[in-house]
Amino acid sequence: MIIIFVLLLILGIALIVYMVKEATLNNVVLHEMTFEDFPESFGSVSIFFISDIHKRIINDEIITAVKGKTDIVIIGGDLTEKKVPFERVKKNLEKLKQAGPVYFVWGNNDYETDFRKLDAILLDYGIKVLDNTAAIFESKSGDKLSLLGVDEVGQGRDRLDLALLDAEDKSFKILASHYPDITDKILPEHNIRLVLSGHTHGGQIHILGYSPFKKGKVEKLEHTTLLISNGYGTTGVPLRLGAPAQCHLITIKKGS
């Protein structure tokens, strides 16, 4: 009986250690995406996408892996959460700025903080907040790429219509949204080619392979392509199982 108890204790400790390891990984997932209508004059565009940072401090290993390889950095919401000191947020922003110009969309946990102070910090650090707005990029040949962002979906702050008005109508459109559910509001005529999202943590902890949310993935939908990230941090318990921490380096180019 004692032997069984000791074995179960060892297995339990080993499982906890493994879950901590999955929660603290510094894994940059590489994606190469091709679109037939991507403007050839851009060559390729690289995006570093990180969501759901929460309490974590971004490891320098991440920045080293993407520095010099990315054109745009996007924070997909939940940069922080309640009780996370703003000095930690500032440190993370300083690190991300080393990788490239940074864009941000609001997540539900960002609004748990003093969000007005967070907004001021983002402004001070030169972070472009995409709150139902768009940023336009133009190639030397005059082709346009629009990066759209919507405000927090769960509280009904999102206005995709306003973001679309701010975008160039005939541009290649990429949408950043903390919630993947924004895809329910995308119509064929919006011509949004790619959606980058987080929020679900990929389920964070899968018991016997089950969790309320599916693992992060790239999925081809009827009207767009959707990337859902497992996210970099955790919420609740600092553990993961079956949905390891991740962020993404996405290269987009013309192709079939």
Side-chain angles (χ1 to χ4, degrees):
M1 196 72 180
I2 294 175
I3 294 174
I4 293 173
F5 174 78
V6 171
L7 287 173
L8 288 172
L9 181 62
I10 292 170
L11 286 171
I13 292 171
L15 179 61
I16 294 297
V17 169
Y18 180 77
M19 292 171 78
V20 170
K21 182 181 177 182
E22 283 216 319
T24 54
L25 286 174
N26 294 297
N27 188 25
V28 181
V29 182
L30 303 179
H31 306 267
E32 186 171 291
M33 299 184 180
T34 57
F35 298 87
E36 291 183 352
D37 58 343
F38 185 77
E40 197 166 6
S41 61
F42 277 104
S44 65
V45 172
S46 295
I47 298 172
F48 176 54
F49 181 70
I50 184 168
S51 71
D52 302 281
I53 298 169
H54 290 284
K55 299 183 182 76
R56 287 190 74 178
I57 295 176
I58 298 170
N59 194 292
D60 290 338
E61 185 180 321
I62 295 283
I63 304 304
T64 300
V66 302
K67 193 174 180 180
K69 300 176 183 177
T70 182
D71 301 304
I72 303 168
V73 177
I74 301 173
I75 304 170
D78 285 1
L79 166 64
T80 185
E81 63 176 46
K82 193 175 182 180
K83 296 184 179 179
V84 172
F86 280 111
E87 288 307 310
R88 187 179 306 173
V89 174
K90 292 175 182 179
K91 185 177 292 187
N92 281 333
L93 293 176
E94 286 168 3
K95 292 188 175 193
L96 290 173
K97 285 187 68 177
Q98 294 177 42
V102 184
Y103 297 81
F104 168 85
V105 292
W106 291 92
N108 53 304
N109 290 115
D110 296 313
Y111 279 110
E112 292 179 357
T113 66
D114 182 345
F115 61 88
R116 292 181 180 85
K117 184 173 181 179
L118 177 58
D119 194 42
I121 290 170
L122 293 167
L123 180 64
D124 287 345
Y125 276 77
I127 311 301
K128 171 66 175 175
V129 179
L130 298 172
D131 47 357
N132 304 320
T133 56
I136 312 299
F137 304 89
E138 185 173 351
S139 72
K140 290 181 180 179
S141 300
D143 293 315
K144 304 287 181 63
L145 184 154
S146 296
L147 174 60
L148 297 80
V150 290
D151 206 339
E152 211 274 327
V153 174
Q155 300 177 37
R157 296 174 181 264
D158 61 299
R159 288 289 304 273
L160 180 57
D161 58 323
L162 296 180
L164 285 162
L165 282 174
D166 207 30
E168 287 283 342
D169 186 45
K170 294 184 178 180
S171 62
F172 185 90
K173 299 185 186 73
I174 300 170
L175 171 64
S177 167
H178 183 60
Y179 284 74
D181 294 351
I182 192 66
T183 55
D184 295 338
K185 300 181 181 182
I186 294 176
L187 302 176
E189 56 265 31
H190 293 157
N191 201 29
I192 293 171
R193 308 297 285 119
L194 176 64
V195 178
L196 305 176
S197 68
H199 180 62
T200 68
H201 293 208
Q204 189 165 314
I205 296 175
H206 293 252
I207 306 297
L208 299 176
Y210 176 77
S211 173
F213 297 102
K214 295 178 181 178
K215 297 176 185 178
K217 59 183 176 178
V218 176
E219 185 178 6
K220 178 65 178 171
L221 304 180
E222 186 177 0
H223 303 315
T224 192
T225 297
L226 171 66
L227 182 150
I228 305 175
S229 177
N230 286 345
Y232 186 66
T234 58
T235 190
V237 293
L239 304 171
R240 285 180 175 269
L241 183 62
Q246 62 183 199
C247 46
H248 310 265
L249 184 60
I250 306 155
T251 301
I252 304 170
K253 59 178 66 174
K254 186 177 181 65
S256 57

